Amino acid sequence: MLHFRIFAAVFFSFFIDAASATEDDRNATHRVGVIAGNGKDIPVPSNGPASVTAISQPFGVCIGPDKALYVCEVGSHVVRRIDLQSSEMTTVAGSGHKGYAGDGGAATDAKLNEPYEVRFDSGGNMIFVEMQNHIVRKVDSKTGIISTVAGNGIAGFAGDGGPAVAAQLNQPHSIVLDNDDRIYICDIRNHRIRMVDPATGMISTFAGTGERAATPDGSTISGTPLNGPRALDFDGDHSLFLALREGNAIYRIGLQKHLLHHLAGTGKSGYSGDGGPGKKAQLAGPKGVSLSRTGDLYFADTESHTVRVLRKASGIVETVIGDGAVGDGPDGDPKKCRLNRPHGVFVSTDDWLYVGDTNNHRVRRMKIAP
């Protein structure tokens, strides 16, 4: 069960962390390798060694509190767990049957509909968003029971100021939690970020007006439009980082003054600007975003088939995986490793960059620092 795996892995985490700077890690620095998926789009989940087992359309990826990698498998409508020590892959949510059912029962018996991104709260509970069910669900870390925490399953916009489970979302894509376990949701078709308060279970609009319009730099989140809010990350302190897919830009949202700060992207779709200031770079439908421990912001530049980074110290944008052309590898040199519409990225605390290489049906990773 999920709670047993989390307990066992956390128990041994001291020993895992102590071995994190191994010779293998040093040799793997800046080299890309497949850790899950055999490249086949087989939408029937099966357990087994991750690198030779099919994984259908991986989107969001996340390291859990048990040090395992969790992957949203859109094609099979499940969430998977990969033990990074044994490379064994198992299903932790979803039966593999498309639908919306199973609340109150075991997560592995439930029907899901396109889980897109997964995160964990401070209690180790697994939180994930289902885009086509228009909901956010939770798997209890102690019981393995699944429940809905936001959305009523009907696409639309309604419910602000009321219970989150009675509200309407419209194709939510990304979620992130802050230090108080507030859930921020990229409600993409509503062009808003919605927020669920865990203390009350109430939902509200945190940012966005519903308009698909430009987002001025330095503006407040109140009354300012967001053009396609698609992905979020939290810095663990006072800022959210936001990718605008249709807006082809990345912003920082200060949680103290609620101001929007433009960091990267001209707003015009394209693939250019590497080596220069982020604001002058062209982005192509950015999706997943993830901060490294040094503050560099990695993101999936989905429509250029690359993973790029915005350097904190210099504000410069660089490509770290891919060359702008669609392909499937080869693994090794990251600049020669082509991707196919990557969606999810996650940087672990031990400096591994994980990528959901969606249309190649693989999860790749690269060590980004010695």
Side-chain angles (χ1 to χ4, degrees):
M1 294 179 64
L2 178 61
H3 67 283
F4 175 78
R5 294 191 187 101
I6 290 175
F7 171 80
V10 170
F11 181 79
F12 288 109
S13 65
F14 170 80
F15 301 101
I16 294 170
D17 289 342
S20 62
T22 64
E23 187 65 28
D24 284 345
D25 281 352
R26 287 190 288 273
N27 290 338
T29 301
H30 308 307
R31 307 289 286 177
V32 178
V34 171
I35 63 164
N38 59 14
K40 297 178 181 178
D41 184 13
I42 301 174
V44 179
S46 59
N47 298 332
S51 62
V52 296
T53 302
I55 187 165
S56 181
Q57 298 179 48
F59 270 58
V61 290
C62 176
I63 296 292
D66 57 351
K67 310 295 185 183
L69 180 69
Y70 290 79
V71 183
C72 288
E73 191 174 336
V74 169
S76 293
H77 310 287
V78 295
V79 180
R80 312 276 256 159
R81 177 188 185 272
I82 301 171
D83 186 313
L84 294 175
Q85 302 306 304
S86 69
S87 295
E88 190 72 11
M89 183 163 64
T90 55
T91 300
V92 292
S95 64
H97 298 287
K98 178 180 177 179
Y100 179 28
D103 277 1
T108 50
D109 292 334
K111 290 182 180 180
L112 317 182
N113 194 346
E114 296 196 4
Y116 263 45
E117 194 162 76
V118 58
R119 293 288 185 263
F120 289 83
D121 68 15
S122 61
N125 302 303
M126 186 170 74
I127 315 291
F128 61 93
V129 60
E130 293 178 53
M131 191 189 78
Q132 295 297 349
N133 275 336
H134 316 288
I135 58 172
V136 178
R137 294 172 102 171
K138 177 176 79 171
V139 178
D140 189 280
S141 63
K142 296 186 172 116
T143 66
I145 299 297
I146 193 169
S147 60
T148 298
V149 295
N152 64 5
I154 301 171
F157 174 66
D160 275 1
V165 292
Q168 287 180 299
L169 308 175
N170 197 342
Q171 295 190 0
H173 186 283
S174 176
I175 54 173
V176 75
L177 286 79
D178 66 15
N179 292 330
D180 295 314
D181 285 338
R182 285 182 285 257
I183 304 172
Y184 298 85
I185 307 165
C186 279
D187 194 4
I188 60 175
R189 291 296 180 191
N190 286 322
H191 299 283
R192 302 171 190 263
I193 299 172
R194 311 283 285 280
M195 191 269 287
V196 179
D197 186 330
T200 63
M202 308 294 265
I203 194 170
S204 59
T205 291
F206 172 76
T209 61
E211 299 173 86
R212 185 175 171 178
T215 304
D217 188 17
S219 57
T220 63
I221 59 174
S222 177
T224 299
L226 300 176
N227 190 1
R230 190 57 61 101
L232 285 165
D233 200 14
F234 174 56
D235 69 354
D237 191 11
H238 299 300
S239 295
L240 296 177
F241 290 81
L242 169 68
L244 299 179
R245 188 267 186 203
E246 286 83 0
N248 295 295
I250 293 175
Y251 285 76
R252 180 176 69 85
I253 303 175
L255 295 179
Q256 292 179 315
K257 296 184 179 180
H258 286 185
L259 296 179
L260 287 150
H261 303 278
H262 179 213
L263 302 179
T266 63
K268 182 179 179 180
S269 179
Y271 176 51
S272 68
D274 274 5
K279 291 182 181 180
K280 294 185 178 181
Q282 287 184 321
L283 313 184
K287 303 288 178 63
V289 293
S290 184
L291 281 166
S292 72
R293 62 186 175 88
T294 60
D296 292 339
L297 185 69
Y298 290 78
F299 59 96
D301 202 35
T302 301
E303 290 159 24
S304 73
H305 313 288
T306 62
V307 176
R308 303 172 83 178
V309 63
L310 177 67
R311 300 295 183 190
K312 179 181 180 181
S314 63
I316 285 174
V317 165
E318 302 170 11
T319 297
V320 293
I321 304 177
D323 63 2
V326 66
D328 183 6
D331 285 344
D333 183 347
K335 296 299 178 68
K336 296 179 180 178
C337 180
R338 289 179 171 174
L339 308 176
N340 192 341
R341 292 190 64 83
H343 280 77
V345 296
F346 188 87
V347 180
S348 64
T349 56
D350 57 351
D351 300 318
W352 283 100
L353 168 65
Y354 296 88
V355 182
D357 190 0
T358 305
N359 284 2
N360 282 327
H361 313 291
R362 303 182 191 272
V363 177
R364 290 183 153 97
R365 76 171 179 174
M366 179 179 77
K367 193 79 170 181
I368 58 173

